[in-house]
Amino acid sequence: MELISSIEELCKELNLSTIGSQYHDIATLAAKENWQYVQFLEELLRNEADSRLGRSTNTLTKLAGFPAIKTLEQFDYTFSVGVNRKQIEELSNLTFVKKHENIILLGESGVGKTHLAIALAYKAVQHAFASCKRSFTRSLILFIGTVSLLSAHPHVFIDTRISVEQEKIWILWTFDEMTSSILMQDYDKNRDKILDEKEIAFLKKDHFDTIAKLQFFYASFDGKEEKTITQVDDFMASFEDSKLRYLFSIPRPKIPKYELRFYDGEMYVAMIVKPEFLTCQQPFTCQTRGYDADFYYGYQVIIRQ
């Protein structure tokens, strides 16, 4: 028992957390299979190294703040016909990072510039710690810092229009062009820049419905408590003027006065509600105002009857 405590304390002191949590199981396996001491030691060290590599990669991925994870393997060259595939493959060896060189991606909106920038940065993150070269990692941090400008807080901007009717409240989201381009790369399968019924059904299941766990970035307030809503109706999606739009409805609260609060507490998404974005049928009146909740900024829509 004292030996076990001593091993665990030494692992903590030397910051060998994986060895500290796995040595007993590995020791049991080594005894069962009659490993040599050096084989047992090598297995412990390999597991520790793999664990550190995974943690370091995850840390740098979070530091990059990518709006989405994109890879070069996912890129559709048949859609972006103007992209020089050979040149992108040459860039994928990351020599430009080691040489502290800049790359500039030029092209029209929606042709894949953001996808390629994120994919190159993501590959660089995976390569940095596998190479175990500090000079490469320092260069990489400068590179992903530039790519992260694509996703400085907040990452996504959504113009939010509200229309209050007798039985329903309609909400229309209009995504910024960059986010729209990224999502269309994923969900416009035939690359015609028009969402058909099958594409919309898949988009709803794979993207929109997953936002339910974030309460669709809004809550209602009746003057006493804030209530989150996780179910919406009448979903529809469209792509117009280089922007993706989601239209959906929620039931109208049956009380004389209430608020709809639009925000993302993680500050990943900026929900924007301007006065001109509001439409209220008689006898309802609506007004909006921004509010600062210390750790995020949101909008209130006050509805009266």
Side-chain angles (χ1 to χ4, degrees), residues 53 56-58 60-61 64 66 69-73 91-98 103 116-133 135-145 147:
L53 175 61
S56 298
T57 301
N58 290 337
L60 196 51
T61 301
F66 300 127
I69 297 300
K70 298 291 181 180
T71 67
L72 293 173
E73 290 74 19
L91 289 172
S92 70
N93 65 27
L94 306 174
T95 301
F96 70 94
V97 179
K98 301 173 188 176
I103 59 172
L116 288 173
I118 294 172
L120 286 169
Y122 184 65
K123 182 169 184 179
V125 167
Q126 310 306 306
H127 179 76
F129 294 100
S131 69
C132 297
K133 294 180 180 178
S135 59
F136 181 89
T137 304
R138 287 195 294 268
S139 301
L140 170 62
I141 289 172
L142 293 175
F143 173 47
I144 65 170
V147 175

Side-chain angles (χ1 to χ4, degrees), residues 176-241:
D176 63 88
E177 287 192 24
M178 186 186 78
T179 304
S180 297
S181 176
I182 292 172
L183 291 171
M184 287 296 285
Q185 282 275 347
D186 287 339
Y187 300 110
D188 182 21
K189 298 300 183 181
N190 58 10
R191 306 304 189 209
D192 63 354
K193 298 188 178 182
I194 299 173
L195 294 171
D196 59 34
E197 289 186 7
K198 289 184 178 179
E199 290 170 337
I200 291 172
F202 180 63
L203 183 153
K204 179 180 184 298
K205 178 181 178 181
D206 192 63
H207 183 250
F208 183 73
D209 287 350
T210 63
I211 306 175
K213 64 184 179 182
L214 302 172
Q215 291 79 49
F216 299 101
F217 306 122
Y218 80 96
S220 65
F221 181 68
D222 60 7
K224 295 181 180 179
E225 62 178 340
E226 189 174 271
K227 299 179 180 179
T228 58
I229 301 173
T230 58
Q231 183 175 354
V232 300
D233 300 306
D234 306 308
F235 176 80
M236 189 61 190
S238 61
F239 184 67
E240 304 170 27
D241 301 325

Side-chain angles (χ1 to χ4, degrees), residues 269-287:
V269 175
M271 308 296 292
I272 302 167
V273 187
K274 299 179 180 179
E276 57 266 32
F277 291 174
L278 301 182
T279 302
C280 282
Q281 290 185 355
Q282 292 293 338
F284 306 108
T285 61
C286 304
Q287 68 179 98

Side-chain angles (χ1 to χ4, degrees), residues 164-167 252 256 280-286 303-305:
V164 181
E165 299 180 355
Q166 290 290 339
E167 299 299 326
R252 184 183 66 80
C280 282
Q281 290 185 355
Q282 292 293 338
F284 306 108
T285 61
C286 304
I303 301 172
R304 295 181 177 88
Q305 181 176 358

